């Protein structure tokens, strides 16, 4: 709640550079802003186009936090705004985020 939406939008590329602790701390703010339709860039790409590096960033999430990310992705899979990402969302829901 201490990170403004303006800061999230201004620093949107920071998601690519967080370590595990940084991702664990910042990801909820980005998700909330996205749900409120305030985040200008969307999180679908960050959560679906995974590399060894990004998987390492997410590896610090607890099982409960991973479950929240899965719920968030399921929410995205029903939102028309993300229809172009539906195949990628489904792929990671059945793959990486199913663990």
């Amino acid at each position: 709640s201490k990170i403004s939406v303006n800061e999230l939008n201004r620093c949107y590329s920071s998601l690519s550079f967080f370590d595990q602790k940084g991702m664990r701390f910042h990801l909820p703010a980005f998700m909330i802003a996205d749900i409120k339709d305030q985040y200008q860039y969307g999180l679908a790409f960050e959560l679906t186009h995974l590399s060894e590096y990004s998987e390492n960033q997410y590896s610090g999430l607890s099982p409960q936090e991973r479950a929240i990310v899965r719920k968030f992705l399921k929410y995205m899979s029903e939102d028309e705004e993300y229809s172009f990402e539906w195949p990628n969302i489904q792929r990671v829901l059945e793959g990486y985020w199913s663990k």
Side-chain angles (χ1 to χ4, degrees):
S1 65
K2 293 184 180 190
I3 305 172
S4 73
V5 172
N6 289 338
E7 286 296 307
L8 295 175
N9 285 314
R10 188 176 70 79
C11 300
Y12 69 94
S13 65
S14 60
L15 283 166
S16 300
F17 302 103
F18 290 134
D19 62 9
Q20 291 176 6
K21 289 179 183 179
M23 185 62 77
R24 189 170 185 220
F25 179 81
H26 291 91
L27 186 59
F30 283 95
M31 291 169 62
I32 291 167
D34 195 76
I35 288 170
K36 291 181 175 180
D37 204 24
Q38 296 173 335
Y39 183 56
Q40 297 172 352
Y41 302 96
L43 288 177
F45 187 87
E46 284 292 328
L47 297 172
T48 61
H49 292 79
L50 302 174
S51 65
E52 185 177 326
Y53 176 79
S54 60
E55 288 180 10
N56 182 54
Q57 288 177 292
Y58 297 124
S59 68
L61 298 177
S62 71
Q64 296 84 1
E65 291 164 334
R66 291 180 62 80
I68 296 297
V69 172
R70 281 192 301 276
K71 287 181 182 181
F72 180 74
L73 286 165
K74 287 179 183 178
Y75 162 80
M76 292 170 102
S77 74
E78 298 170 0
D79 186 339
E80 286 291 326
E81 186 175 323
Y82 289 103
S83 61
F84 63 95
E85 286 286 356
W86 286 349
N88 293 322
I89 292 169
Q90 194 60 40
R91 177 181 47 79
V92 295
L93 279 171
E94 293 171 359
Y96 179 78
W97 290 108
S98 68
K99 302 173 191 172

